[in-house]
Amino acid sequence: MIKTLNDSNVGRFTRRGAPLIALSLALGLVGCGDGSPTAPEGLVEGQATLTAAAAAVLPSPEPPLGESEPATDAGQLVTPSAPDSADAPIDLEDLVGDSGAPIPTDPVFNADAPVDPDAAAAEARATADAEAGVPNVDALVLSMDRLATFTPGPQTTAPDTELIYARNGAFWRIGAGGGEARKLDLGADVPPLWAPPEDPGRGWLSPDGKRVAFFAGSDAEMWVAGVDGRGARQLSGPNLPPETHTVSGAGGESQVRLQPGRHYTLIRLDSGDQPFAVQVDDLSEQRRGYARLRFVHLIAGRADEQLQVYANGSPFGGPMRLGRGSGEIAVPASSLTLELRDMQGKRVAELPALEAASKQILTVFLLGDKTVRAVPVVYEKALDPGTASEVRIFNASDASLDVQLDETTALVADLAPGAIGPYVRVPSTLSTEQRADLQLGIYGNKTREFPVVWSPDGKRLAWKGGADGQVDLYAAEVDGKTRRVTNDDLRELNPVFSTDGHLVWIAEESAVVGYKLFFARQDGQPQPLDLNGIRQASGLAPTIKVFFPNEPIWVDGDRFALEPHADNASLGLWLVDTRTGKVTSLYDEPVFASHWSEAARAWVFNPDEETGRLTVLPFEGQPRLLVDGQAFHGLWSPDGKRISYVEGQRMHAEGWVLHVIDADGKNDRALTPSWPLQQTDPPLPGPNAKRVWVDGGKRLIFSRVGRDYGAAERAGMGRIQEAGPDLENWYAVPVDGSAPPKMLTDLTQAFYLTNLAPEASGRYLAFTGLWYKSRTQQLWAVPASGGKPSQLDGPVRWYAWIP
C-alpha cells in the first residue's frame, strides 16, 4: 500500500526579543530555478537578461571549510553503531549528502558550551519572556546533553523500493538508497505539470497507489495517469481562466495569452510560423543616469537566422530569433555605436548610432529584407492596466494593417508599415490577485483546505476549478465522464467522498463570510443541509456565523460527523444523516485536537485547551475520561488499540514527555524523558509533536529539537547569522517501553522535517526536510533502523512510495 503525504506548511516565526530562523511560506522552494514551472508561451519574451555588470556584483562561492570534531556523549540515547573510526574527526559535510553547501567551522557551532556574546541582549530577552509569561524553552534546549553523531556503514537497497515525486514540471522515480532519478514518461500529449509559482509540483495518489492525479498545462487541466506513466487521461479543460485571445489582421491569426496588469506589443510579421509575435513591455520607471534598451529581430530577409546586436563592440543581450528580442538591459546614459552580426560573428549591418538618454525606455525594431533599417520607439507613460491588460500593435509588414481582438475589439485601423499603434485596454476574467488566490485555492496551499480528493474505491475524483472565474466543484469517473457539480457564487471547500461515492462539502459565502453544507449523491444535484438544529441547540443568534475548521468525517456510507465552531468556540461533535437530513448531537461540549479512528470507531480529543484532560468518545457510546490532566494531542494507533499523547502544557520550561496508553485507559507509560519535542504548527518546540506510528503500531517515530536549534542565530547577533549543526532529527521508540528512544537520523543543518512515511515492507523511511544553506525542501530516505539519510533530490514538496 502506498503511503500518501500531506502538505508541509513552512511558516515564518520569531521569538520575542530574539530573531530565530525567519523563512517565507515558500521557503523550501526559493532559489532553485529548476523548481519553477514553465512560463506560458508568449509571456516570457522581452524580459530582461543578466548583464555582465549585474553578474559581477553577485557573491562568489564560499571556499571549502575545514573539518569539525563531533561530540560523542549520547546522554540517555541509543544511536546506531558506528565504524571503528567513530572516535576520529568526522567532516560534517560528509554527513549531509551532496548538498553543494559549505559547512561552517565557526567555533560558536562546535564549542563545548553555547556562547552568547551579547549579555545585555540575552537579559533583555529574558525580561521580555518573563513579562509575557513565556517560559524560556530555548534555555531548556541549550541545557540538553549534546548528541553523538555517527556514520553508519553503507546500506543496500532492493531495486523495487522506489519513490515517486514531483519536480520541475514532471514526475520522477528514484530508489530509496539514492542513485539516478528517472523522469516519468507520461506521453507526448501530456503537458508539463502545473503548479503555482515557485512550487516544485505535487500529485494526488489514488487509494490503491496505482494512479496519480495532477494539474498540467499553463491553465491547470486535470489529468490522471498510472504511477508507471501509462494510461494518461485528461479529465478536464482549464481550471484557471485561460486569458487567451484571438488576434487577427491581414489574413493572419494568432492565439495570445494576456496576463492582467501587463502591457504588450503585438508585432504583425510577414514571415515565420506565427503572424503575430508577442513582446511584454516593462513600463516601470528607469533610474536616473541609465536608460533601458532592447532590440527586436523583424528582418524578413533573415527570418531563418539568429542575429546578435553589438553595442560599443560588445554583445548586447542574447541572440535574437525572428520576432524575438535581445532582452531588455539597463545601460548608462551615453552614445552607443551599434552593429548587427550573425552567429558566426560576421557583420550583417551597421546600425545608426544611438543616444541613450537618462531614464529613457526604448525598443529598437530591426526591419528590412536585404537592407536593414532600425525603427526606435520610446515608451511613453501609459495607464496602469489594473485588473486588465494593455495591448498595442507594431506593423512589421509591407502593407497597411487593420487588427482586431476576438473579432470584437479594434486594436488599429490602417496602421502604416513601420508604425506603432496606441495601447488598447483588454479586460481580464480575473485580476492578478484574484488569479493568485484561485491558484492557491485549487492547489491546496491554503491552511486546512483540501481541494482534490479521491473516492475510497479509487474510481472517482473531485476537485475545485475556476476556468470562467467562478470557483466550483467538479467530479469525474476516472474512466468515464466528467461533470460540473456546482454552479454558484459560493466558494466550495474540502469535498469528501463516502464509501458509496457520495460527496459532502463546505461552501463559503464570501460576501458575508458565512458557511453552508452541501451533499450530492453520485450523479445527483447538490442539496443544502439544514444546520439550524446546531444553531438552535447552541443558542446562537442568526447573526453568529457557524464554521467548520475540519473537513466532515464519513462514519458510514450515509452519515458523516462535523465539528462546528462559532465565536472561536467549539460546539461539540454532530452527526448528519444524508438520507433524512436529520442533525443530532454526538457530544455537546467543546472538542479540541480531535482524532478519529476508523479501526476503533471512536474519537480521542481534549474537551478544553488548558487542563489536558484526554477523552475517548465511541461513535455509538458514551464519552470516557482517559487521562485526567496534562495529556494533549491524542493520536490513535493504526489498529485503534493504543493512543499516543504528550504530557505537558503548550509552553512549559521543563519540556514534554511522550506517552502511550491502551484505548481502555490501562498501561499508561512514558516513552521519553522530558524533552523539547518539535511542534507541527507553528514550527516551535511544543507538545503537539510530529509523530508517526510504524511497524504496525509497534514503534513511534517523532521529531526532537536539536541542541543548536536557534542558538547560532542568538550567538550571531550583529554579524552574519548561520545555523548550528544540530537543528532537528528523527527518533524512534518501541511503544512497549522495552528500549529507550533511538536517534534515527544524523542530519546536520536541516530542519522543518515533515511528511515522514514508511515504505510498504517497513525497511525504509522517507521524509522531506529543509536544508538550511539552500533554503529548499529536500527529499530524504533512511533505513528504518536508522543511519545516514540519503539526500535524494530537491526541491521536492510531494512524494509517495511505490509498492
Side-chain angles (χ1 to χ4, degrees):
M1 178 178 178
I2 287 186
K3 302 293 183 182
T4 306
L5 281 302
N6 295 324
D7 303 341
S8 66
N9 294 321
V10 179
R12 184 176 184 181
F13 61 98
T14 58
R15 202 163 169 76
R16 180 182 295 269
L20 289 180
I21 306 161
L23 306 172
S24 70
L25 180 63
L27 185 60
L29 315 173
V30 174
C32 259
D34 62 348
S36 301
T38 304
E41 185 177 355
L43 296 184
V44 296
E45 294 305 319
Q47 299 302 300
T49 55
L50 183 65
T51 65
V57 301
L58 296 176
S60 57
E62 297 179 44
L65 298 175
E67 297 181 344
S68 58
E69 181 81 23
T72 56
D73 179 12
Q76 301 300 314
L77 303 176
V78 178
T79 60
S81 59
D84 294 338
S85 59
D87 293 333
I90 299 175
D91 190 337
L92 289 178
E93 192 163 3
D94 292 337
L95 294 179
V96 297
D98 185 15
S99 67
I103 303 300
T105 55
D106 191 312
V108 169
F109 306 126
N110 301 302
D112 290 336
V115 177
D116 188 344
D118 195 338
E123 184 178 354
R125 287 194 301 274
T127 301
D129 283 348
E131 291 176 351
V134 178
N136 191 347
V137 175
D138 297 329
L140 174 62
V141 173
L142 295 176
S143 69
M144 296 188 303
D145 293 334
R146 184 176 291 276
L147 304 177
T149 57
F150 53 90
T151 306
Q155 301 287 339
T156 58
T157 302
D160 60 343
T161 305
E162 285 194 323
L163 305 101
I164 182 173
Y165 60 95
R167 179 180 63 78
N168 196 27
F171 287 116
W172 301 77
R173 291 174 63 150
I174 194 170
E180 184 176 356
R182 297 180 291 109
K183 186 176 180 179
L184 202 63
D185 183 6
L186 297 173
D189 295 334
V190 184
L193 271 61
W194 174 86
E198 297 183 339
D199 190 300
R202 64 170 298 182
W204 289 266
L205 215 65
S206 62
D208 62 6
K210 295 181 179 180
R211 286 173 162 176
V212 59
F214 56 96
F215 291 113
S218 54
D219 297 317
E221 304 159 354
M222 177 57 75
W223 287 74
V224 66
V227 293
D228 57 1
R230 299 177 182 176
R233 182 172 183 267
Q234 184 176 348
L235 298 183
S236 79
N239 287 291
L240 292 171
E243 306 293 1
T244 300
H245 301 268
T246 301
V247 181
S248 56
E253 183 176 287
S254 291
Q255 298 292 314
V256 298
R257 294 174 54 84
L258 303 177
Q259 183 173 335
R262 287 192 173 184
H263 295 83
Y264 295 90
T265 295
L266 308 182
I267 304 165
R268 180 64 172 96
L269 304 170
D270 271 341
S271 57
D273 297 333
Q274 288 289 332
F276 287 90
V278 181
Q279 294 286 319
V280 181
D281 298 336
D282 180 3
L283 301 190
S284 59
E285 187 175 2
Q286 177 59 34
R287 62 191 176 115
R288 186 179 301 278
Y290 285 81
R292 204 161 64 234
L293 175 64
R294 71 175 170 184
F295 296 85
V296 181
H297 172 13
L298 305 173
I299 306 167
R302 294 182 177 270
D304 298 329
E305 296 182 60
Q306 291 192 65
L307 302 175
Q308 174 75 62
V309 172
Y310 279 69
N312 294 341
S314 299
F316 182 94
M320 303 175 295
R321 291 179 292 160
L322 183 71
R324 304 299 178 92
S326 60
E328 197 171 73
I329 297 176
V331 297
S334 61
S335 296
L336 299 174
T337 59
L338 304 169
E339 65 176 349
L340 189 65
R341 301 181 188 179
D342 61 20
M343 298 313 294
Q344 287 70 47
K346 182 180 178 181
R347 188 170 73 174
V348 171
E350 184 176 345
L351 303 177
L354 184 67
E355 189 70 30
S358 176
K359 303 185 73 173
Q360 186 181 61
I361 304 173
L362 182 68
T363 293
V364 179
F365 297 100
L366 303 177
L367 306 174
D369 192 353
K370 294 182 179 179
T371 302
V372 177
R373 63 190 179 97
V375 179
V377 175
V378 176
Y379 292 20
E380 302 294 340
K381 186 175 179 61
L383 293 175
D384 184 350
T387 60
S389 53
E390 299 271 346
V391 178
R392 63 180 177 178
I393 302 295
F394 180 81
N395 186 5
S397 68
D398 294 332
S400 296
L401 186 62
D402 296 336
V403 179
Q404 284 196 325
L405 185 79
D406 298 331
E407 300 182 351
T408 58
T409 303
L411 297 180
V412 292
D414 200 25
L415 183 67
I420 193 165
Y423 281 112
V424 176
R425 189 176 183 83
V426 179
S428 301
T429 306
L430 297 175
S431 68
T432 303
E433 292 76 14
Q434 289 171 330
R435 187 179 180 90
D437 186 69
L438 177 56
Q439 287 178 336
L440 297 179
I442 70 172
Y443 191 69
N445 272 356
K446 293 188 175 183
T447 302
R448 302 301 304 168
E449 290 191 14
F450 312 98
V452 180
V453 61
W454 285 87
S455 62
D457 62 6
K459 295 180 179 180
R460 296 174 179 83
L461 190 73
W463 67 92
K464 286 167 55 176
D468 55 3
Q470 177 179 289
V471 180
D472 280 302
L473 190 62
Y474 295 79
E477 296 174 5
V478 177
D479 296 315
K481 61 183 181 180
T482 297
R483 68 188 182 100
R484 185 172 187 164
V485 179
T486 64
N487 188 357
D488 53 41
D489 58 0
L490 301 174
R491 179 171 173 263
E492 283 72 25
L493 300 171
N494 299 353
V496 184
F497 277 105
S498 73
T499 53
D500 294 336
H502 311 320
L503 267 176
V504 63
W505 65 92
I506 299 163
E508 177 185 9
E509 295 178 287
S510 57
V512 296
V513 197
Y515 293 87
K516 296 182 177 180
L517 205 67
F518 286 84
F519 161 77
R521 294 196 175 271
Q522 285 188 18
D523 297 316
Q525 295 300 311
Q527 301 294 327
L529 293 167
D530 186 359
L531 302 180
N532 283 329
I534 297 177
R535 184 182 297 278
Q536 293 170 3
S538 304
L540 298 178
T543 56
I544 301 298
K545 304 298 184 295
V546 176
F547 66 99
F548 307 93
N550 300 316
E551 68 275 17
I553 296 174
W554 287 95
V555 295
D556 56 36
D558 295 298
R559 296 180 295 174
F560 60 86
L562 289 171
E563 291 185 38
H565 282 62
D567 283 345
N568 295 319
S570 168
L571 303 180
L573 276 168
W574 293 77
L575 184 69
V576 180
D577 191 325
T578 61
R579 296 165 298 188
T580 63
K582 185 177 181 181
V583 179
T584 56
S585 174
L586 291 173
Y587 185 78
D588 58 6
E589 298 294 331
V591 169
F592 298 96
S594 68
H595 186 222
W596 163 258
S597 168
E598 180 63 37
R601 301 287 291 168
W603 286 269
V604 61
F605 56 84
N606 292 116
D608 63 71
E609 294 185 283
E610 302 302 328
T611 63
R613 292 180 296 121
L614 199 62
T615 298
V616 169
L617 176 66
F619 172 58
E620 296 177 338
Q622 297 300 312
R624 182 179 73 254
L625 184 64
L626 195 70
V627 182
D628 193 17
Q630 296 299 305
F632 294 89
H633 300 285
L635 182 71
W636 285 101
S637 64
D639 59 9
K641 295 180 178 180
R642 297 183 181 90
I643 295 169
S644 165
Y645 72 88
V646 182
E647 174 192 348
Q649 289 285 351
R650 285 178 294 172
M651 294 300 295
H652 197 284
E654 297 180 0
W656 304 272
V657 180
L658 194 63
H659 282 250
V660 69
I661 186 173
D662 292 350
D664 60 6
K666 299 177 181 178
N667 298 320
D668 188 354
R669 49 196 174 276
L671 301 179
T672 70
S674 183
W675 279 349
L677 305 171
Q678 183 68 21
Q679 189 168 322
T680 57
D681 185 20
L684 288 171
N688 187 10
K690 302 172 186 176
R691 287 162 291 163
V692 178
W693 291 87
V694 296
D695 299 342
K698 295 179 180 179
R699 285 195 305 165
L700 268 172
I701 294 179
F702 61 95
S703 159
R704 195 186 88 156
V705 172
R707 180 184 173 90
D708 298 316
Y709 187 83
E713 281 74 10
R714 295 189 296 277
M717 292 177 64
R719 61 179 179 82
I720 296 176
Q721 297 179 355
E722 297 286 353
D726 177 22
L727 295 177
E728 182 181 0
N729 272 286
W730 292 111
Y731 295 75
V733 62
V735 296
D736 62 5
S738 59
K742 174 181 177 180
M743 182 176 174
L744 292 183
T745 59
D746 63 344
L747 289 166
T748 61
Q749 295 193 324
F751 64 148
Y752 287 162
L753 309 183
T754 189
N755 293 345
L756 184 138
E759 54 98 24
S761 72
R763 293 172 296 174
Y764 292 92
L765 306 167
F767 58 95
T768 57
L770 194 76
W771 173 237
Y772 185 88
K773 284 293 185 180
S774 69
R775 304 303 203 268
T776 61
Q777 284 179 287
Q778 303 291 309
L779 176 60
W780 308 78
V782 65
S785 59
K788 179 179 179 180
S790 300
Q791 191 171 356
L792 301 181
D793 205 347
V796 173
R797 174 188 185 191
W798 174 89
Y799 79 90
W801 287 104
I802 296 176

